[in-house]
Amino acid sequence: MAKVLCVLYDDPVDGYPTSYARDDIPVLDHYPGGQTLPSPQAIDFRPGELLGSVSGELGLRTFLEGRGDTFVVTSDKDGENSVFERELPTADIVISQPFWPAYLTAERIAKAPLLKLAITAGIGSDHVDLRAATEQGLTVAEVTYSNSISVSEHVVMTILTLVRNYVPSYQTVVRGGWNIADCVERSYDLECMVVGTVGAGRIGTAVLRRLKPFDVELHYTDRHRLPESVERELGLTYHPDAESLVPVCDVVTINAPLHPETEHMFNDGLIAKMKRGAYLVNTARGKICDRDAVARALESGRLAGYAGDVWFPQPAPKDHPWRTMPHHGMTPHVSGTSLSAQARYAAGVREILECWFDGRPIREEYLIVDGGKLAGAGAHSYSAGDTTGGSEEAERFKEK
Ligand code: NDP
């Protein structure tokens, strides 16, 4: 029997919900482009429930304990004395969400001789040292597409939020004020602006599609060019790299995975190539941007706004400069963990576990590392290597 160690974020401060704002969530047939939704043999949760927090348990306890497995769920993930580090040496399978990542560094993998499978409940497995995972023969899998559309909605919301200067206007109301000039002195229309995405995979393409009706000019860069029919349909301009994309854009959105090629891609040098007053929206991974370069660019006015929901490390220390820099629209990492998304990635995790236990292949599109190399979606979208360096700083969030 297996020991499954699962790291989830904390329950709401007022306790696990007993009722919800809505009675149901829409039922999807398939993802855009035809990929099928997760198809486990059964689920033991009601779609729309909070599954990503500790008491939600991704709806897995009945299934795992019914098989005789040991199922440990914790939010205590950082530092040598954490429950995660204590339980890891005897774990066969680790499940973690990017929102509250259990960093699986080379040191931690070395302490886990039984570990064979690391599942990302969501998308983006950069919290795992993929080089060490490859060397140790681990399988790393994620639930591809489960929250891509969720994130694309957040990106569109965030672009509008920055360009229209929504957050300060909202704060004016909450503070009892009515000074319209203060609200609009940084407010513009998105119409006819140039918007570009770095990465035009599932999220990037969905962002482009959603922005098309706003009458903007759409640009992109990606390692593989989109089909000509898609470029024509959306009126896209392709750039071979980010260097040639960013100088023409009023808004840049980052939708590529974090891997050695993209780590700190948006540094002082690349940001200096952006238009003065451009907006940068990053819901991909915090480490794709140089933390201090972003803060400097907002201070100097090189960037008019920065937003997104991804940080490095996570949780971000209380003194992380992105919490206090000017003109930002940051949230904690929430875009891919709406209740709608949770139902999909919880079902996807169950599907991966069922395949693993039954000895059936995990879907190719879910694989990041397998058989000692990058595989499936990982082979397509990642470059080999490790991007977990510095993740131990996540422990500082606990500091008073
Ligand atoms: P996809 O794999 O569908 O798309 C990623 C795209 O990025 C691919 O087209 C890939 O290229 C491209 N890419 C990779 N490297 C580069 C590079 N150096 N320059 C330009 N493009 C590059 O994944 P998704 O769109 O579903 O997700 C993208 C990322 O978003 C995830 O990896 C994750 O980090 C993040 N994410 C964030 C979430 C959140 O909650 N904030 C939730 C879900 C995802 P190609 O494959 O053509 O080589």
Side-chain angles (χ1 to χ4, degrees):
M1 294 297 105
K3 173 171 165 182
V4 181
L5 175 56
C6 182
V7 174
L8 300 175
Y9 45 76
D10 284 316
D11 285 345
V13 286
D14 293 335
Y16 190 73
T18 50
S19 66
Y20 290 88
R22 295 179 51 79
D23 296 327
D24 55 23
I25 58 173
V27 179
L28 309 185
D29 289 340
H30 53 76
Y31 295 117
Q35 185 184 312
T36 54
L37 279 116
S39 48
Q41 284 154 7
I43 53 169
D44 298 310
F45 60 83
R46 196 172 60 78
E49 288 173 349
L50 180 61
L51 300 166
S53 75
V54 170
S55 296
E57 301 184 318
L58 294 176
L60 291 172
R61 186 167 294 279
T62 305
F63 165 61
L64 290 172
E65 292 191 343
R67 286 175 23 88
D69 297 324
T70 304
F71 187 39
V72 178
V73 183
T74 182
S75 63
D76 185 16
K77 68 184 184 71
D78 297 308
E80 281 181 17
N81 297 320
S82 61
V83 173
F84 181 65
E85 284 232 2
R86 281 207 308 274
E87 298 284 346
L88 191 58
T90 49
D92 300 281
I93 297 173
V94 164
I95 303 172
S96 173
Q97 297 175 115
F99 323 104
W100 186 256
Y103 293 104
L104 262 181
T105 57
E107 295 72 34
R108 282 177 159 182
I109 290 174
K111 288 183 196 163
L114 305 180
L115 185 63
K116 288 280 172 292
L117 174 64
I119 303 177
T120 303
I123 303 173
S125 299
D126 48 275
H127 59 282
V128 180
D129 180 333
L130 296 179
R131 183 188 295 127
T134 304
E135 287 166 5
Q136 296 300 313
L138 300 192
T139 296
V140 181
E142 59 186 46
V143 191
T144 306
Y145 231 145
S146 57
N147 53 12
S148 302
I149 299 303
S150 324
V151 177
S152 73
E153 291 183 0
H154 194 96
V155 172
V156 173
M157 173 186 82
T158 307
I159 291 173
L160 290 167
T161 298
L162 287 183
V163 175
R164 306 295 314 212
N165 207 34
Y166 171 79
V167 174
S169 306
Y170 171 78
Q171 286 165 339
T172 295
V173 170
V174 172
R175 285 199 292 258
W178 196 263
N179 194 323
I180 291 169
D182 280 323
C183 299
V184 300
E185 68 173 346
R186 297 181 66 88
S187 175
Y188 297 89
D189 291 350
L190 183 62
E191 186 180 28
C192 288
M193 283 194 178
V194 179
V195 184
T197 175
V198 176
R202 293 169 181 84
I203 297 173
T205 309
V207 169
L208 293 168
R209 267 187 210 297
R210 277 157 182 71
L211 285 176
K212 171 92 176 135
F214 282 89
D215 290 332
V216 289
E217 200 185 298
L218 296 171
H219 292 235
Y220 80 102
T221 183
D222 195 283
R223 299 203 305 185
H224 298 87
R225 201 161 167 169
L226 290 167
E228 213 186 314
S229 56
V230 177
E231 287 192 352
R232 213 174 318 110
E233 176 201 344
L234 299 175
L236 303 180
T237 303
Y238 171 75
H239 297 261
D241 49 38
E243 278 73 21
S244 57
L245 172 88
V246 301
V248 300
C249 293
D250 301 291
V251 180
V252 174
T253 157
I254 306 173
N255 299 296
L258 170 62
H259 55 106
E261 236 174 68
T262 57
E263 185 170 357
H264 294 147
M265 180 187 243
F266 280 78
N267 53 19
D268 284 316
L270 188 60
I271 293 173
K273 295 196 165 100
M274 297 178 73
K275 282 174 83 164
R276 194 190 80 82
Y279 304 89
L280 184 54
V281 170
N282 177 15
T283 52
R285 283 298 178 262
K287 223 189 191 185
I288 295 175
C289 293
D290 176 318
R291 184 191 71 176
D292 296 333
V294 166
R296 276 192 291 273
L298 288 167
E299 297 283 353
S300 71
R302 163 70 27 201
L303 290 177
Y306 180 93
D309 66 334
V310 286
W311 309 67
F312 187 81
Q314 290 185 182
K318 298 199 169 78
D319 60 358
H320 193 295
W322 291 4
R323 291 182 185 270
T324 49
M325 63 192 181
H327 313 305
H328 82 78
M330 294 298 295
T331 63
H333 193 166
V334 293
S335 65
T337 186
S338 59
L339 295 177
S340 322
Q342 289 174 40
R344 291 187 292 272
Y345 66 69
V349 170
R350 171 86 179 248
E351 177 188 326
I352 291 168
L353 287 169
E354 287 177 1
C355 289
W356 183 261
F357 293 138
D358 295 351
R360 287 183 283 120
I362 295 168
R363 291 188 202 205
E364 190 69 11
E365 66 256 30
Y366 287 175
L367 291 175
I368 301 300
V369 169
D370 194 39
K373 55 181 177 10
L374 291 174
H380 202 264
S381 297
Y382 285 72
S383 57
D386 167 41
T387 53
T388 62
S391 56
E392 65 286 347
E393 216 205 334
E395 195 183 4
R396 285 192 45 227
F397 180 72
K398 293 180 188 169
E399 287 170 8
K400 290 276 175 271

